[in-house]
Amino acid sequence: MQGALTIRRLLRLAAALALSLILPAPALALDGVEIEHRASALIARMTLEEKIGQLTLSSNGPLYRPQEVENGLVGALINFNNAQDAASAQALARRSRLGIPVLFGLDVLHGFRTTFPLPLAETATFNPALARNAAEWAAREASHVGVQWTYAPMADISRDPRWGRIVEGAGEDPFLARAFAAARVEGFRKGGLATAVKHFAGYGAATGGRDYDATDIPPAELRDVFLPPYRAAIDAGSETVMSAFNALNGVPATANHALLTGILREEWGFAGFVVSDWAAIHELIAHGIARDGAEAARKAFLAGVDMDMVGGLYSAHLADEVRAGRVPEAAVDEAVRRVLRVKLRLGLFERAPIDPTRVDAVFPTSGSREAARAVAREAVVLLQNRGSILPLSPATRRIAVVGALAASAKDQLGPHAARGHAEDTVTILDGLRARAGRAGVEVAYAEGCDPRCTSGEGFAAAAGAAREADAVIAVLGEPEAMSGEAASRAHLGLPGRQSELLEALAATGKPVILVLVAGRPLDISRELEKVPSALMAWYLGNEGGPALAEILFGDINPSGKLPVSWPRSVGQIPIHYNRLPTGRPTSALNRFTLGYMDESIEPLFPFGFGLSYTSFRFSDLVVPARVSASDTIDVRVAVTNTGERAGEEVVQLYVRDVVASRSRPLRELKAFEKLALAPGQSRIVTLKVPARELGFHLDDGTYVVEPGRFDLWVGADSRADLTASFELVDGLRLPPGQRAAGRAPSVR
Ligand code: BGC
């Protein structure tokens, strides 16, 4: 007994120490031992109801019961997005018997008041430093009015653009997603917010792209592809983890002991707390694994969910479950301790009261706008530019801007815009008008149709405006309500009659530039045949208008790259570049090989793709012939700007393990670097690949790096063809739980 207690105490101290390493220095830095001591002292004084209170998250709005806060029965609150509400709720909490502060959480994803591009767009920059800076701004603004915890980053890998939430994440690639998850956590924490990496785990693999549907991911693939970005966020210091809505391989993530306790705590040593997604514990009943609220609460809790987000089931049932002996009170104490550790470490107990007079209207500032514009400039992806129609030639005297989305500030903010305001937004139309005005270029605007394009009445006027212009900028795509949560689509075409509108514009014979506003790749194969140029403009936020105008007029050279493969048609989905080989590789000469009878096997645009106004050449690839698993491989390549404009290129490195004990992907991204080159300039880049990153998992979680030949490619996208091989002379084998891949790739 004595021994067990000592071991438990040691484990606690180790956990405290681990947490003290990952949490940022609070205003008043408490050390791990003091945190443990204070948490223990509080727990010793708490009633069972007060303990469960710490595990209860309530929301502003109809669910909010101020009296419960004052009674110490609420540990955290969501949707308190202004200082006045937060200050009054915090005052109530501080008046409770033990005076434990509540933790205020909110979805702060891509800015708070200043709205930045959506995470998927931000990932298209291939520049994690920008994401870190964006997250820091968002955190600073949110914490200004009392928010302390963001439900971000979303680290769910998704290979399915039918899923509306693909826009909230980093796309299809685990290596890229790791880099962005880590950068975002670092930025949020630097700006003063704790983070909740979500949605653990596998939410982005929803069957059929249907939000909330079950996911089935083989164990090895789960560890190779889906789990690494969450782990990168935790390594970067994420204090909390949000459990997902979905069932993972038959067990809802929110009651999944193997995931929440086995992998997260036992293997990874995660010492923070797990919060459920919105009412996800209650949903265990609909999932068919709990008869009633009591069973749902018990299953979620025993699986490893520490905090119930707005379901009210812990507060309704957990005390009875403890009294009935079905839930050990010691486990409740541990969960409370995890919550208190985060609060203590954040310095919430020592923080001055929230100043209720603070408002978010002090933002955006010139600094936050500049930061948002920097992301927007690099997020835009030039998809097509036949005849180098872009940038607009100096001979352009008049442009026609067509499409309601060009003038819709609200849609430009995109989904999940926290406190984003339409009136802070410079629309695409306004940005173009301002830039064109400076160049003496006239701008005519025609809506064409409403954002969902339900009527063709305005088409003739739009075509009329096009006829009188030298170039037409057609801003089409998805209004923001068609993207984000609960916005799955079975059809990915341009909404309503937008395609017809585009056709009417193209029929004028004027060069049409398609600017696509959307949260995901759309099915635009046919449309692209009708227009010379197309840009993916996502939802660019407050500074999208000026950024896009700079690109169209050539002040900025586009450098965005697709963080997802872009399908030719919905039937190709799921589509991703890092797929496994087949025994029958595609061959035009043999029908009995991988492919479709009625569609190409290739995406419309590959992962990592994006054009520039200049061109780049990759040459002189140098790779060591033989490497050891303990080496970091230096891959050298020369990159030359062979065009006439300055530009930025993302050097991408892919590898393939040619023969292994399991089939390995045809290609996997293992390094990237964005660099700026003047016209004619050449630079030697050295990309570094730790050889331990070349491995993969077995079904039982063992991580292996196997010796043998590896092929490697370097270039501007996942089809890069500059190639070399090397020999890995030895291997590595790590049991489950031991650190396999290294930390997230470093950010310049
Ligand atoms: C979403 C989460 C979000 C939560 C709180 C849920 O519906 O799935 O991503 O953090 O709501 O707003």
Side-chain angles (χ1 to χ4, degrees):
M1 193 61 190
Q2 189 65 36
L5 273 181
T6 313
I7 287 170
R8 198 178 301 158
R9 205 167 294 140
L10 277 174
L11 283 174
R12 268 191 210 146
L13 278 177
L17 193 67
L19 197 69
S20 69
L21 292 176
I22 62 170
L23 287 169
L28 179 89
L30 301 174
D31 66 27
V33 176
E34 183 171 0
I35 285 173
E36 283 314 285
H37 180 74
R38 285 180 61 178
S40 299
L42 278 168
I43 293 167
R45 294 174 61 203
M46 289 166 102
T47 63
L48 181 57
E49 282 67 24
E50 284 168 332
K51 290 175 185 172
I52 293 165
Q54 287 306 304
L55 311 182
T56 298
L57 186 152
S58 183
S59 175
N60 212 352
L63 294 173
Y64 182 48
R65 308 268 178 281
Q67 194 56 51
E68 291 177 356
V69 177
E70 194 165 3
N71 292 347
L73 301 178
V74 174
L77 288 164
I78 182 175
N79 292 334
F80 281 72
N81 59 11
N82 66 83
Q84 218 180 356
D85 286 359
S88 70
Q90 196 61 292
L92 290 176
R94 298 315 300 260
R95 276 210 298 274
S96 65
R97 195 176 73 87
L98 295 171
I100 301 175
V102 285
L103 182 60
F104 292 103
L106 193 74
D107 292 292
V108 181
L109 257 80
H110 57 111
F112 181 65
R113 173 72 188 243
T114 308
T115 306
F116 286 70
L118 268 288
L120 189 63
E122 195 177 68
T123 311
T125 65
F126 271 63
N127 186 348
L130 286 176
R132 185 167 52 192
N133 196 39
E136 188 182 338
W137 271 105
R140 269 200 242 150
E141 293 186 1
S143 35
H144 180 73
V145 296
V147 179
Q148 298 154 341
W149 179 33
T150 175
Y151 303 120
M154 188 182 99
D156 305 320
I157 292 288
S158 181
R159 300 159 159 184
D160 193 334
R162 292 171 298 186
W163 190 54
R165 300 196 80 169
I166 195 171
V167 74
E168 289 179 60
E172 76 187 33
D173 182 73
F175 186 81
L176 188 63
R178 275 166 61 200
F180 275 83
R184 288 179 178 132
V185 169
E186 285 163 13
F188 283 130
R189 296 178 78 233
K190 190 157 173 233
L193 291 185
T195 60
V197 59
K198 67 189 186 185
H199 306 82
F200 198 67
Y203 182 43
T207 307
R210 293 179 294 269
D211 208 0
Y212 317 121
D213 209 345
T215 63
D216 290 291
I217 309 173
E221 192 182 10
L222 182 71
R223 288 174 183 274
D224 283 341
V225 177
F226 290 87
L227 295 185
Y230 307 110
R231 190 166 195 189
I234 291 168
D235 285 346
S238 190
E239 296 83 350
T240 75
V241 168
M242 185 187 292
S243 70
F245 286 132
N246 55 284
L248 174 66
N249 300 334
V251 182
T254 294
N256 198 318
H257 188 271
L259 192 63
L260 300 177
T261 298
I263 292 180
L264 186 62
R265 296 206 182 282
E266 291 168 4
E267 283 189 29
W268 297 358
F270 175 64
F273 71 84
V274 175
V275 61
S276 79
D277 200 343
W278 186 275
I281 298 177
H282 195 272
E283 290 176 14
L284 296 177
I285 301 172
H287 270 293
I289 65 149
R291 263 170 293 268
D292 52 26
E295 191 174 10
R298 181 172 73 245
K299 284 200 159 171
F301 183 78
L302 292 177
V305 178
D306 300 301
M307 189 181 276
D308 175 2
M309 186 192 285
V310 310
L313 293 186
Y314 281 4
S315 55
H317 302 290
L318 219 46
D320 287 344
E321 292 296 304
V322 170
R323 287 187 201 106
R326 288 187 289 266
V327 167
E329 186 160 357
V332 173
D333 289 355
E334 274 314 299
V336 173
R337 179 180 296 281
R338 291 183 194 123
V339 173
L340 291 178
R341 274 190 198 127
V342 171
K343 291 185 176 183
L344 284 160
R345 196 71 183 114
L346 287 171
L348 297 193
F349 289 80
E350 288 74 30
R351 279 197 193 171
I354 297 161
D355 175 355
T357 64
R358 287 193 171 183
V359 289
D360 57 48
V362 297
F363 306 107
T365 61
S366 56
S368 69
R369 280 192 181 280
E370 190 43 50
R373 193 180 307 187
V375 180
R377 281 175 177 149
E378 294 193 33
V380 172
V381 184
L382 180 61
L383 298 172
Q384 176 171 295
N385 197 17
R386 283 203 287 263
S388 297
I389 291 292
L390 287 176
L392 293 168
S393 99
T396 310
R397 300 304 350 138
R398 191 177 162 87
I399 56 177
V401 178
V402 177
L405 291 174
S408 172
K410 179 175 166 290
D411 289 303
Q412 196 172 305
L413 293 177
H416 310 283
R419 292 284 286 170
H421 278 46
E423 62 268 26
D424 294 336
T425 304
V426 186
T427 63
I428 295 175
L429 179 60
D430 289 341
L432 278 168
R433 278 194 171 132
R435 179 59 184 83
R438 287 200 294 280
V441 174
E442 263 183 76
V443 176
Y445 172 62
E447 193 183 69
C449 54
D450 64 287
R452 287 191 189 236
C453 209
T454 47
S455 151
E457 271 168 36
F459 289 5
R467 241 173 259 120
E468 279 162 34
D470 302 317
V472 184
I473 295 167
V475 184
L476 303 175
E478 297 178 312
E480 60 89 21
M482 292 181 76
S483 182
E485 187 173 351
S488 296
R489 295 183 63 192
H491 305 280
L492 291 180
L494 291 172
R497 299 176 62 182
Q498 288 185 15
S499 200
E500 259 179 76
L501 171 60
L502 192 68
E503 204 157 318
L505 299 175
T508 63
K510 296 297 167 95
V512 177
I513 295 139
L514 172 62
V515 171
L516 206 57
V517 171
R520 56 185 136 210
L522 296 182
D523 179 350
I524 49 165
S525 313
R526 280 185 311 278
E527 285 77 5
L528 288 190
E529 286 164 17
K530 295 179 189 128
V531 301
S533 299
L535 294 146
M536 181 58 174
W538 318 97
Y539 303 107
L540 289 177
N542 289 157
E543 287 292 304
L548 198 73
E550 288 169 338
I551 288 174
L552 293 170
F553 277 84
D555 313 326
I556 293 287
N557 194 345
S559 63
K561 300 279 183 176
L562 294 174
V564 283
S565 303
W566 192 300
R568 290 172 188 276
S569 55
V570 172
Q572 288 185 318
I573 298 170
I575 186 165
H576 51 101
Y577 82 95
N578 44 2
R579 62 184 170 84
L580 297 184
T582 157
R584 298 190 173 192
T586 309
S587 160
L589 304 175
N590 183 354
R591 175 176 172 174
F592 296 94
T593 58
L594 183 80
Y596 297 102
M597 294 188 71
D598 52 1
E599 184 57 279
S600 155
I601 192 72
E602 294 300 324
L604 185 59
F605 301 111
F607 172 84
F609 172 85
L611 299 172
S612 164
Y613 296 153
T614 186
S615 48
F616 298 94
R617 190 182 63 233
F618 294 79
S619 63
D620 305 298
L621 181 59
V622 182
V623 182
R626 291 162 66 78
V627 298
S628 154
S630 56
D631 289 346
T632 289
I633 310 167
D634 282 352
V635 176
R636 287 197 321 155
V637 65
V639 188
T640 309
N641 180 344
T642 50
E644 266 140 41
R645 281 174 181 271
E648 288 186 87
E649 180 58 298
V650 179
V651 186
Q652 302 169 39
L653 184 155
Y654 297 86
V655 300
R656 177 176 179 187
D657 185 349
V658 183
V659 179
S661 57
R662 301 178 72 103
S663 283
R664 301 300 304 138
L666 292 169
R667 288 188 182 198
E668 291 181 282
L669 183 70
K670 291 294 176 192
F672 63 90
E673 189 173 327
K674 194 164 194 173
L675 69 155
L677 290 173
Q681 191 188 353
S682 195
R683 263 181 60 189
I684 306 277
V685 182
T686 304
L687 296 162
K688 291 189 176 292
V689 182
R692 68 172 188 281
E693 291 270 351
L694 299 174
F696 54 92
H697 290 89
L698 308 180
D699 281 339
D700 71 354
T702 303
Y703 181 79
V704 292
V705 180
E706 294 181 348
R709 193 183 117 198
F710 284 76
D711 289 344
L712 173 151
W713 297 263
V714 176
D717 62 48
S718 54
R719 285 180 315 203
D721 55 9
L722 185 62
T723 184
S725 296
F726 62 89
E727 191 76 18
L728 189 64
V729 295
D730 53 7
L732 196 68
R733 192 176 182 93
L734 298 173
Q738 278 204 25
R739 176 159 301 282
R743 291 188 169 250
S746 60
V747 174
R748 84 172 139 111

